[in-house]
Amino acid sequence: MATPRGPRPGAFPPNHNPNALANNLQNLQINLSNRQELSNASSGGQQPPPFATGQPCPPPSDAFQRGFAPPVAPGQSTLPPDAMPARPAGPTPVSQPLPFASRPPPPGVLPMGSAPPVAPGQSTLRPDAMPARPTGPTLESQPPSFASRPPPSGVLPSSIGGPAAPRPGPLGPPTPLQMFSNGPAGNGPPAFAPGMMQSGSRPPPPVSNLQRPPPPTMLSSQAPSQPLKTRPGFGGPPTFVSSSVGQPGPPFSTLPRGPMFPGSSNMPPPPGPLTPPPVQGTVQSSGHLHGMQSWPQQLPQVGLSSPTHGAMQLQQLMSGMPPGPPPFPNQSMAMGQTDPSQIDANHIPPYSSSSAVIQHETHMDNHANPPPPATSTYIVKDNGNCSPRYMRCTLNQVPCTVDILSKSKMQLALLVQPLALPHPSEEPIHVVDFGESGPVRCSRCKGYINPFMKFIDQGKRFICNLCGFTGEVPHEYQCNLGPDGRRRDADERPELCRGTVEFIAPEEYMVRDPMPAVFFFLVDVSMHAIQTGATAAACSAISQVIPNLPEGPRTMVAIATFDSTIHFYKLKCAQQQPSILIVPDVQDVYTPLTSDIVVQLDECREHLEILLDSIPGMFQDNRTTDSAFGAAAKAAFLAIKSTGGKLLVFQSILPSIGIGSLFARDAEGRSNTPAGEKEPHKLLQPVDKTLQTMADEFAEYQVCVDLFITTQTYVDVASLSVVPRTTGGQVYYYYPFSALSDLAKLSNDLRWNVTRPQGFEAVMRLRCSEGIQVQEYSGNYNNRNPADVDFPAIDCDKTIMVSLKYNDKLREESGCSFQCALLYTTIYGQRRIRVSTLFLPCTNNLTSLFVAPDLDTLFSCILKQAAKEMTSAPLSRVKDKATKVCINILHSYSMFCATKSSSALLMPEALKFLPLYTLALLKSHGLSSDGRIDERSFWLNYVSPLPTPSVIPLIYPRMIVIHDLDEKELEDSIIPAIIPLSSIHISDEGIYLLENGIDCLVYVGASVQQNVLTRLFGISSVEEISNQFMLQQYDNQLSKKLNDVLNEIRRQRCSYLRLKFCKKGDSSAEAMFLSNMVEDRMPSGAAYADFVALIRSEIRKKKA
Amino acid sequence: MTEFLDLEIQDSVRMPWNVLPGTKAHAANCAIPIAAIYTPLKTLPEATPLLPYSPLRCRGCRSVINPFSIVDFSSVNKIWICSFCLQRNHFPPLYQSISEQNFPAELFPQYTTIEYETPAPQPQDKAQPGSTNVFLFVVDTCVIEEELSFLKSAMLQVLGMVPENCLIGLITFGTYVHVHELGFGLIPKIHVFKGTKEVTKDQLLDQMGFFTKRPRPTTGVIAGVRDGLSQESVGRFLLPASDCEFVLNSILEELQKDPWPVPSDQRAARCTGAALSLAAHLLGACVPGSGARIMAFLGGPSTEGPGTIVSKSLSEPIRSHKDLDKDSAPHYHKAVKFYEALSKQLVHQGHVLDVFACALDQVGVAELKVAVEKTGGLVVLAESFGHSVFKDSLRCIFQAGDHDLGLASNGIFEINCSKDIKVQGIIGPCASLDKKGPLCSETVIGQGNTTAWKLCGLDKNTSLCIVFDVAKKESPDIVSQSANNQFYFQFLTYYQHSNGQMRLRATTLSRRWVAGPGIKDELISGFDQEAAAVVMARQVSFKMETEAEFDPIRWLDKSLIHICTQFGEYQKDNPSSFGLSPRLSIFPQFMFHLRRSQFVQVFNNSPDETAYFRMILNRENVSNSVVMIQPSLISYAFNSGPEAALLDVVSIAADKILLLDSYFTIVVFHGASIAQWRKAGYHELPEHQAFAQLLQAPRSDTDAIIRERFPVPRLVICDQHGSQARFLLVKLNPSATYNSDTQAAPGGDIIFTDDVSFEVFSDHLQRLAVQ
């Protein structure tokens, strides 16, 4: 019998507080949605009334402005250019209704401000959040505009508008906060839930002052609003909280579930069972329904050698096959005997980001549905299996035995991104509250209740899909089974019908109260930082982000600066002005005060503003060249040790003094000498254990460090990055830092960092079916015990790679389950457990295995492993290994699965890009031997937690033509077709934009038409472009489109992307650009065609 | 008696023996050592000129020309003969005009004490901190809010009184030490140091950014602006009072109680040692060698870091005399060692440590004593920062006018004396400069083994007790052989006057010595019993502190009996025949009271109080010290004017007011009837003017005493039979106790004690003396 106390600390130490993420997401969404709504409304002439609570809604512009406007003087000119254009609305957004399409509001703002939103928006995750958010761009077709929504319109608008209205930014937090505060439960949805639970009969949740429409309304509204989810506040759809307590009634319970839930019977007639996922037909008129093909029975093959295949592929393409990377156009190539050089660039698959939105159902006909490519845009309908956003497996069918797997040479691993941003149109994640007893769990393996648990004995017992154990169903959770063997209430209980749900964690899951949201800013003010403007930029970025922090008493902030000493600031408001407290001892640091340094944001806004304004001036004459990074971080840590929190460090030079000081390991940071000279890879390792030890301590006390490196010199990223990596943080690297051009990116990065959905003091564990177990986790986390992964903080951009191993056989008929449980604290202080369950079929058939690989995931794992090895093995060995992996897989395929034997290179459809990606990897920045060591370290570090959808563009950047943007009519997408990365596609008359998620290069040919230059850049000749050139928006279609494109990219990447101009003739810039043309022959590697030929011959050799 | 006072007025010196035993043997018989209580900066008679030139010095012994020098006007070149080494010295050209009719002042017989002002070679401009006084406030913030506000208001009041050109610095401390950078204009800036750790001066220089703008000198000692530091960097921490008054005011106003939480079973973490050490380093770095005072305001015991006197746990009580006796105070020796090191540093730098200890419990004055005393610092012990003892004493320090303390700094004290006299040492607020020479005695007491001492801080009242030794061996014909039966002493004091000038005060004394049989009467004629009592008090205090297993009562009794035996008139074994010369007559009474005093009966006090009393004793002049030993009692009644009363319980009468001055405490004691009348409000009735005046008389006298005294004494006004009356009773001779035969006179009082009365004491003394 499952213990009634369901929650077993087993998995998670009871102490962790789950919580916030959800909230964040919601917030974000809300905002977004609001924003959108706003725009909708305004366009319709109908402004949604502000929230009932009277939240003032700042004009959307607000967010925007923060992004750009404020920036430092120089900044101004800088940033705006890019951003501005995007947001024409700039200052007066309101008046300017954003076109729907532009939805992600201001792309300009984006990265931080709006972009995130989008993303989050997409994430719609939470029921609450759901609100009406037209899915971004895609949703143009979306029918329901706010106004048009029938039922809800009355009530809804107000509520919706309300929350939404306020913050344009993703930062919606404020709004949500308010809501929450009223509600009994922190989160919108939860709040609702309780209401329901307590009085089944009470339709309207007693909760907050929000005007929640009575449930029925909601529902109905929901339906219409489909795409736009109802907002959480409404409790409507989102609140699918089922209360385990006594009242099992599905939240929605209005349903006449009569007997079982007596309470519910009183309820007003429910609008029917849960409304179907919002999506459905209406929404995606444009969507390809093919998205959900079932497993192809036949094994598609791409034969490079056989031209005929081309057709086939094409066909496949058409049929909506994995939209991801477009199929290979070039299969026509007979690689066979012909000279490799025959493969010409045109054959390389154009990397179009499928503009089409794919509808993806996770589970169909009792089968797991293979996920769409990670890089495509898709909308998931979670009907039992978790969305691929949260968990993806390298193989979509799991081999039953280790033999099959090893024969295939592929790897079995999962990429888990527990807090991934959903698409805005997706149904939010349901929040389930089991009350005191906590979620139902298997009493043996502690797996959480999920749709694949099988109930038997009239529902009195259940069989765990993970360990096979038969346990008792807690009495209050029992339910009769229907004729199909499912519980009758399965469809009403999210935990029984959704692959991902979120449980409210009861007390037992906490060792202490959920921690507050603490933000500690630590800024380098040494001479170098001051003189390069890094300090001013950091201060400006911080002061812009302050308003985006969640409001309320749970948000604490602190600021400190450091050079050779550490300067804390006493922010307590009773003081007339802040005072500086200097900690001079950087060998043995301490925090100078317990209180008054970390202060509630609400109490110190003014002081903080004054302080941030005056810091650059205060230190302007600073002649201290030393920087005590380690000591400062330690001191800041001590100040927030009791609560934990986020430590955001702005560092500008090599830390040279105090604890954890470093030294220039390679002269001038000029990297690793020619390969072969004494182990250059050692430079990629941390110099010693000091920082690691420190980081471990930070992690233990739930302190997460994010490091913003704004430098012009070598700073030993390899050593520094240990701290963020261990604590679940992130490294941002601005090199060479320019106060002029990097301010925008810095402030946007910072904003996204603090406003994106995230959780604190998290613990994660992955459980698998019997027969498989976790071998290793890797990512940015702290490993205190081998079974769990601890994150002081985790956000939507963090992915963990979980490699698996067999300890037994799997049975083909039973399938294989993976369950990822993440216990965390939301930014609003609620403890939650997010549980995602992935069920995959098993196979004994090697051939079907080759149908099933998920190339994006597989390649991500290859990349991450390569990055990991980089620090411990010579470069050449890493490269060899990566190449071998590719060769071995393809060899295995041609050995065991190829239908015909030929000398041609045969590849399974699903892996057709493997050679290309592998080649790109070999040529990538991180694996090149001539890069600066810091840049490579950063790259390695960047890759480690990188989500799958970002991996591919990093390796194989996206390049588009922009000089003719205005001439093309794009249907679905703002971003034009992608062109392959080969210099043959580059013409002297063209202007190209290339982005990899970090940087964005604009390449200007030598003989571009002057008129194009004028329209795009406002200049008359190419010569006027300098390194510091800034993009601005001009009043013409071309320029506008370019800005739209740029903003869309930023939105997609959730990153501001540093814009660099490369003009032909400027040798270094041109070289930088050309180094991305991975299909070309270049010093670091062969041309694509040559590489394919090489692989082919290697395979041939092996066969022989 | 008065002749001794006259001598004191002229030369600021009191000696127990003004006629000296001429040989070692005789001296040993005297029980009380040959000593001098010398007050170097005592105000001189008004007529004494200040000589605007440097003194003439003997080529041989460097002593200064004085009225005892023999001047030979006859020779062409005019020669003077040093009275100490008999060296013949030529006068410099400046003195060419002197003649028997035309003496320079320093040769006038009445100017045996005279002051020279050396034209200050002060090339530096005025802003130079070297020439000005520096006050570095070190403030304890681990006190309750109320105390803190008292302290703040006291300090704010005083800030306005600091002379404008004085430099001021501020350090606050609690769990951590906060060094305030007063010169940083934008916002308050504080350097925070850990309290548990001792920082070296070099670390401090590095960590506080003294070398960010100007590179650190690669060699040499960094010492102030002259050596290595920029004026700018010094000016960050020490500012002229006029420049930093505003900043300082605002800092003090916002000063918060130490914010670190204190568990209920613990004492606050207070790092007094670290704070004082940092203060010393800061002054050492910024203004070495110039007059600077660290003024420490302490509100509790140090519990953290170096110099800890008690652990944080409240379950451990603060050490008592008993603990010290049994050597069971775990922190004591470590703390003393630390403060000894601190005192060495301060002495080296020429800086003073003043301590204002204001707390109900002890704060560690006993441990701090060494640092305060060796630097010549001031000490005030009070129960609260709100108490007038503290507030008024603090004000005293900064007040100008007749009652100012005459604070001087950077003093160096040197002694020359006849070769048959050796110096054992000094008991008093000074530190040895380790200048050894033939004048040093082999037996050492106090700061000895040197003929030069450092007085980092000194004032008008600072009195040193110099103990000598007669080196001359007994020989039968010693008297006849000696042509000169005078011993000469010369005390030279160089110091920086509060106006910044450097001065030298020279006091030259001559005392006759006697030897051989029959010297008793001669010695008696030169005996100053007050001075003797004070010397004994200082000696016994010193021995109690330094000698293990020392039994002070026994030692005092032995000495007293010895003296009585030596100098009394009696028939052997006939106690009733015993008599003492008037010169000695009250000496036994002094000893009686000394035995009962706080200096000897330490167990009634905490170690802090004892240390405090002794520090004051060791720096006060003879008349004040005598009051500490045997308080003065004045009686006020209707029929007579104020008159001195016997320090005895019999002096209590219902219709009298008594004024007891025990130096640290002044008690105004209203007899029972007086108290009744007062309560009835008679003094407010016009017809009872006389009563009002009677009540007022002791108060006026009290005010006069308080004005002149530093630290300000505690004033207790009480009524007979009231609880506060104990302050009086404890000091009185218990001639009437609960178990004595005599009944108290009507309106009188008895004392509940088992202590012996003076009569009993005296009986025993006589019996023992005649044996």
Side-chain angles (χ1 to χ4, degrees), chain B residues 202-280:
Chain B
D202 280 346
Q203 282 171 336
L204 175 127
L205 286 168
D206 280 344
Q207 296 181 351
M208 301 227 293
F210 279 99
F211 300 112
T212 51
K213 301 248 166 98
R214 181 201 273 199
R216 178 183 197 121
T218 49
T219 57
V221 178
I222 288 131
V225 177
R226 252 164 281 174
D227 288 302
L229 293 188
S230 64
Q231 178 65 46
E232 186 192 0
S233 57
V234 171
R236 294 188 298 150
F237 299 100
L238 301 176
L239 268 79
S242 48
D243 294 356
C244 69
E245 194 175 345
F246 176 77
V247 181
L248 211 50
N249 276 341
S250 65
I251 291 177
L252 284 176
E253 270 160 21
E254 292 203 357
L255 197 60
Q256 302 280 316
K257 177 176 178 301
D258 188 58
W260 293 83
V262 181
S264 60
D265 60 341
Q266 298 210 338
R267 298 184 173 90
R270 182 186 280 109
C271 58
T272 315
L276 293 177
S277 163
L278 268 168

Side-chain angles (χ1 to χ4, degrees), chain B residues 650-662:
Chain B
V650 301
S651 299
I652 296 177
D655 58 351
K656 283 185 183 168
I657 300 175
L658 295 178
L659 171 61
L660 176 88
D661 177 7
S662 68

